[in-house]
Amino acid sequence: MPRARRSARRRAPALAACAALLGGPLAAGAAPEGPREAAAAAAATEPGIRLTVPWLLVQLVPSPELWIGPGEAHFGVRWQVTPLLYSFGMNRKLSPWRAFVVEPLTRHAGSLELFGAPEYIARPGAFGERWIFRGGVRAYFPLLHRGDYLSCSLGGSAIYARERLGASYEAGVYTLFGALGAQVTTTPTAALRSTTITLSIRYF
């Protein structure tokens, strides 16, 4: 026993030295990140979005709809354009403003947009009377997974059709990152009274 104790005493300095050598690098590795590393982790990069010819061509694909008026119903198509959008649900380190090209997360995580929506209704009459032009404001709100799985919208617009002006109100629900949705638009103006149900197909 005395011999074992003396052997343990001899090993103690060596073990302490090894612990010090190993502990230094381990402690350094466990130390919190420096200012440069923390800044890099917190940095946010602006998306490189821009207008392109393929994007413009895809926007020409319309969304089908059903237009319902007093005593009649007709199929139609609708296009949509977003001249300006402000997102209040995205990363605060990024610019909340978008023009024309808008990423799905930027729109459906929560945003307010100006929009234009020309429509063509396959109804009897002169060619010019088949067109409807809307321009207004629409707000998007996320419902599930920051709007990627499910989001909704509320909006209002001015409408011009058959040489008359009116007002419209709408509500919508969207899924699949906003690519597919349904919108219901109602126009209470007497001369233009109608309800439109649109299958919204959105390409970003």
Side-chain angles (χ1 to χ4, degrees), residues 158-179:
I159 176 176
Y160 177 79
R162 289 176 284 174
E163 299 183 349
R164 294 179 175 87
L165 286 172
S168 294
Y169 307 95
E170 66 169 57
V173 62
Y174 313 88
T175 187
L176 297 177
F177 303 94

Side-chain angles (χ1 to χ4, degrees), residues 102-122:
V102 183
E103 317 92 291
L105 177 60
T106 301
R107 173 178 277 118
H108 293 278
S111 64
L112 188 66
E113 72 174 9
L114 298 177
F115 73 91
E119 301 172 44
Y120 178 81
I121 308 299

Side-chain angles (χ1 to χ4, degrees), residues 69-88:
E72 58 179 332
H74 305 282
F75 287 103
V77 290
R78 177 187 295 192
W79 294 265
Q80 295 200 56
V81 62
T82 304
L84 189 64
L85 178 143
Y86 175 83
S87 177
F88 51 82

Side-chain angles (χ1 to χ4, degrees), residues 49-161:
I49 57 172
R50 58 189 177 87
L51 289 172
T52 63
V53 173
W55 181 87
L56 289 171
L57 293 176
V58 168
Q59 303 310 305
L60 297 178
V61 179
S63 297
E65 64 182 18
L66 178 64
W67 180 90
I68 304 171
E72 58 179 332
H74 305 282
F75 287 103
V77 290
R78 177 187 295 192
W79 294 265
Q80 295 200 56
V81 62
T82 304
L84 189 64
L85 178 143
Y86 175 83
S87 177
F88 51 82
M90 63 183 298
N91 191 324
R92 297 300 181 185
K93 295 182 176 64
L94 301 176
S95 171
W97 297 98
R98 296 290 185 272
F100 296 102
V101 184
V102 183
E103 317 92 291
L105 177 60
T106 301
R107 173 178 277 118
H108 293 278
S111 64
L112 188 66
E113 72 174 9
L114 298 177
F115 73 91
E119 301 172 44
Y120 178 81
I121 308 299
R123 59 183 300 175
F127 179 76
E129 295 182 351
R130 301 176 185 177
W131 287 92
I132 299 174
F133 298 93
R134 304 179 194 271
V137 179
R138 182 184 294 126
Y140 292 88
F141 305 96
L143 297 178
L144 286 177
H145 207 271
R146 299 191 65 191
D148 287 347
Y149 294 168
L150 190 66
S151 63
C152 66
S153 71
L154 295 172
S157 61
I159 176 176
Y160 177 79

